[in-house]
């Protein structure tokens, strides 16, 4: 990924991507049930980071229903994380 976002680990953090600071916030690996769960979550948040203006600029749209834009963004992150998990050999429990 060009111009990668910083990844910040901290105890009890909720996984998130902060667009303003271009930072992925993640709990420590030990806070997850398994390594595959951690990496699936990390991939999901990193996919959100691809929308930053320094990358694909997916967040520039301001028109339309905010809930639809949010839902679309979550689908992008979920599908992207699923593809990355597949490429990495990470299997889902479901």
């Amino acid at each position: 990924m060009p111009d990668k976002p910083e990844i910040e680990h901290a105890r009890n953090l909720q996984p998130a991507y902060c667009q303003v600071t271009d930072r992925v916030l993640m709990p420590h690996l030990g806070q997850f049930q398994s390594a595959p769960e951690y990496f699936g979550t990390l991939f999901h948040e990193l996919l959100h980071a691809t929308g930053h203006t320094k990358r694909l600029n997916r967040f520039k749209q301001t028109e339309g229903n905010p809930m639809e834009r949010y839902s679309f963004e979550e689908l992008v992150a979920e599908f992207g994380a699923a593809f990355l998990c597949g490429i990495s050999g990470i299997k889902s429990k479901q």
Side-chain angles (χ1 to χ4, degrees), residues 34-79:
S34 65
E37 183 184 334
Y38 168 83
F39 284 104
T41 302
L42 177 61
F43 290 158
H44 176 98
E45 299 307 332
L46 287 171
L47 260 294
H48 284 307
T50 64
H52 193 274
T53 55
K54 295 190 279 187
R55 295 173 200 99
L56 299 176
N57 201 20
R58 201 169 45 250
F59 307 131
K60 68 180 175 191
Q61 181 184 355
T62 57
E63 297 175 5
N65 182 313
M67 189 55 117
E68 286 180 13
R69 290 195 319 267
Y70 172 79
S71 298
F72 174 79
E73 180 58 28
E74 285 303 312
L75 280 173
V76 168
E78 283 298 313
F79 277 114

Side-chain angles (χ1 to χ4, degrees), residues 1-6 22 54-55:
M1 177 186 306
D3 199 9
K4 296 177 212 122
E6 181 181 339
D22 191 30
K54 295 190 279 187
R55 295 173 200 99

Side-chain angles (χ1 to χ4, degrees), residues 11 27-33 38:
R11 196 160 229 9
H28 293 287
L29 174 60
Q31 292 176 255
F32 286 85
Q33 295 283 342
Y38 168 83

